[in-house]
Amino acid sequence: VNYGQHLQNRGRQNVFPAITDLSYCDPPLIYHPSDGGSILVFELWSGRLLKSMVGHFSKVSCLALRPKYEELYSSGTDSEILVWEPTSHMGIKKLEPQKIQ
């Protein structure tokens, strides 16, 4: 699958995307870190960009999913860890970041 020009990783660090469980989400999604402080959400099989979620001030490097609680954790070079959770049952379109205290 070609995820196109949206993916940006100009640094020397590895990035760690997260993929939804194939039986949990239809279509399955891949959450990919980006240099611009955002998380890009793609359909896994088609590569279609669904959403760009912004919350970090610099490069996002690592993502982890916690599907039982519908949470996505992100960290980056801004030294922040954000928890993303749906604010309604509308799916990924209403995700808002929360700082871990």
Side-chain angles (χ1 to χ4, degrees):
V1 175
N2 181 2
Y3 293 101
Q5 64 189 16
H6 303 290
L7 294 182
Q8 300 174 5
N9 182 19
R10 295 184 202 104
R12 294 182 184 182
Q13 295 177 320
N14 292 331
V15 293
F16 299 93
I19 300 173
T20 59
D21 187 310
L22 300 182
S23 63
Y24 178 76
C25 188
D26 187 28
L29 304 176
I30 181 167
Y31 296 86
H32 201 286
S34 178
D35 283 354
S38 62
I39 299 166
L40 304 175
V41 184
F42 295 95
E43 283 185 2
L44 180 63
W45 305 127
S46 72
R48 185 170 67 99
L49 179 65
L50 300 176
K51 181 82 175 164
S52 176
M53 304 182 328
V54 179
H56 285 276
F57 295 107
S58 61
K59 180 181 178 174
V60 179
S61 55
C62 185
L63 301 171
L65 278 172
R66 193 173 180 198
K68 181 178 177 181
Y69 297 97
E70 296 186 357
E71 294 175 338
L72 174 70
Y73 294 84
S74 63
S75 67
T77 57
D78 58 2
S79 301
E80 298 285 344
I81 298 173
L82 300 180
V83 179
W84 301 79
E85 55 189 13
T87 57
S88 75
H89 295 291
M90 299 296 291
I92 63 168
K93 296 179 181 176
K94 296 262 182 180
L95 289 174
E96 299 294 333
Q98 303 292 324
K99 285 188 180 181
I100 293 178
Q101 307 258 335

